[in-house]
Amino acid sequence: MAQLAIPTALLRQAQTVADGFASRTAVAVDAAELLTGRAALLDIAPRGQVSAGGATRLLPTRDRWCALTLSRPDDVDAIPALLQCDSVQADPWREIKCWAAETGAAEVAERARLLGLPVAVLGETAPARPVVKPLGPGRAAPLSGALVVDLSSMWAGPLCGQLLARAGATVVKVESRDRPDGTRAGPPEFFDWLNGGKLSYAVDFESPRDLAGLIRVADVVIEASRPVALARRGLGPGTAAPRPGQIWLRITGHGASGEQAGWVAFGDDAAVSGGLVEYEGGTPTFVGDAIADPLTGLHAAAAVAASRERGGGELIEFSMAAVAAAYRSPGGDAAVMAPVRPSVGQAGPQLGADDEAVRRLVAERAEPPC
């Protein structure tokens, strides 16, 4: 099995967060398993300036280091526009590296972001606590028995939902039939690890009437899209009177306000934005596997548990880059470790398998008409 270099101080810090979650939920969480579980399941590890998953590269520019992720077909299709050329080779990384070396980091990032590409400048994001705003009336209650609506996909949000499910919450995984969670197309072990035990509800996001009803009766809503994506569909915190104590958890790559709200991010480039890298001979290398994702998922679950305990009625906004920034250190304490293989219990639900059950749940929780 491939080895990972994870700073020991980072593991201790993450385990402290996991222990805080456990103190509120009686659910033991191994931070090392969360941070290295995918690497163990898929037998992957970073290779210097190449991420464990292979989609992200660290690139030296004229003045600083950047990270660029090409994980979606649209990302690759945008490379000619990024390089301002007619076409690129099947593997465009050599051409990208040559262009970046002659270009300033700020220009690399600006042009990539204009094209909707996930990009980061090393260390551009400072550590920051999550933004917490009042949402509605409070009502303290345990997580056990709570209804969690998980609108997120990929890793950070689904991991948060999985931890809440372990604490006894009923978690409904909401997906579009046209564009389901991308992890469904990948190794099933990873999808099952994050989504086993959840209910699956398939909706049409362009006609979100049923989804709006589900959100209204939810105790917790998890979303990880850019804020405008839900707002233009008439969904989001504040668009309807929330259930007393409702907690709305928003996970973004770089923040939910200003120009950063429109920036796309994945776990590896978000970590680089936060400065969470190791150095080998003065050259930055990736830490762990898309580490901003599991760190944010863990922090988000702990924040929801704490909010639920104090009554909820809050909007909680996490930036993955800011979470990663809180873990950066001068280095020198990295330990090479074998990834911890997680125990995968139930298989993840088939898309839309629980549509009728979810509709009944909504009807049961809806307040009777006046």
Side-chain angles (χ1 to χ4, degrees):
M1 180 177 293
Q3 303 287 295
L4 290 181
I6 303 283
T8 53
L10 185 156
L11 281 174
R12 288 194 299 268
Q13 188 176 343
Q15 189 59 53
T16 298
V17 178
D19 292 343
F21 179 78
S23 71
R24 290 186 166 92
T25 63
V27 176
V29 176
D30 180 0
E33 176 189 314
L34 298 188
L35 301 185
T36 67
R38 188 179 80 153
L41 289 171
L42 308 187
D43 193 19
I44 56 177
R47 302 178 304 283
Q49 280 74 54
V50 181
S51 67
T56 308
R57 304 287 176 98
L58 276 159
L59 304 167
T61 72
R62 196 172 58 221
D63 49 3
R64 298 173 67 181
W65 284 80
C66 284
L68 179 68
T69 299
L70 303 180
S71 63
R72 305 164 298 180
D74 288 349
D75 297 333
V76 179
D77 291 344
I79 296 308
L82 178 70
L83 304 185
Q84 296 183 322
C85 62
D86 293 331
S87 63
V88 294
Q89 298 176 2
D91 181 357
W93 282 112
R94 181 175 179 180
E95 294 164 87
I96 294 170
K97 186 174 181 179
C98 290
W99 168 73
E102 299 174 352
T103 309
E107 183 180 349
V108 170
E110 181 180 14
R111 286 174 58 177
R113 284 167 177 154
L114 284 173
L115 295 168
L117 293 170
V119 68
V121 178
L122 177 58
E124 66 185 341
T125 300
R129 297 176 62 85
V131 176
V132 180
K133 304 174 183 177
L135 180 63
R139 184 173 64 187
L143 273 173
S144 179
L147 175 61
V148 177
V149 175
D150 183 3
L151 306 176
S152 67
S153 61
M154 303 308 287
W155 195 344
L159 174 60
C160 174
Q162 176 58 232
L163 293 174
L164 300 183
R166 294 184 197 178
T170 297
V171 181
V172 178
K173 182 174 181 61
V174 179
E175 299 171 82
S176 164
R177 288 193 181 277
D178 296 329
R179 297 187 66 181
D181 188 335
T183 57
R184 285 189 180 274
E189 299 92 340
F190 181 56
F191 178 81
D192 293 345
W193 177 42
L194 294 181
N195 297 293
K198 299 178 183 179
L199 302 176
S200 175
Y201 187 49
V203 301
D204 179 359
F205 276 88
E206 300 307 318
S207 302
R209 180 174 156 184
D210 289 345
L211 178 56
L214 175 59
I215 288 174
R216 276 195 296 271
V217 301
D219 297 302
V220 180
V221 180
I222 302 171
E223 59 119 329
S225 56
R226 285 174 285 179
V228 69
L230 288 177
R232 67 169 176 253
R233 294 175 171 87
L235 301 172
T239 56
R243 184 180 180 87
Q246 186 179 90
I247 300 164
W248 192 289
L249 175 70
R250 171 175 286 161
I251 297 173
T252 64
H254 297 273
S257 61
E259 64 175 347
Q260 291 92 334
W263 295 354
V264 181
F266 289 91
D268 284 302
D269 53 83
V272 171
S273 179
L276 181 51
V277 296
E278 286 294 306
Y279 288 90
E280 294 180 0
T283 301
T285 61
F286 288 103
V287 170
D289 171 27
I291 199 162
D293 270 310
L295 283 174
T296 303
L298 171 60
H299 276 259
V304 169
S307 178
R308 182 84 170 157
E309 190 175 86
R310 64 179 175 260
E314 295 177 327
L315 166 63
I316 306 172
E317 296 175 338
F318 275 94
S319 153
M320 291 202 301
V323 171
Y327 282 83
R328 67 189 182 203
S329 67
D333 63 345
V336 176
M337 61 177 290
V340 179
R341 187 176 183 85
S343 174
V344 179
Q346 302 179 54
Q350 294 296 313
L351 181 63
D354 305 293
D355 286 358
E356 288 303 318
V358 172
R359 293 188 185 104
R360 289 195 299 270
L361 187 60
V362 171
E364 291 168 2
R365 292 172 67 91
E367 295 182 358
C370 298

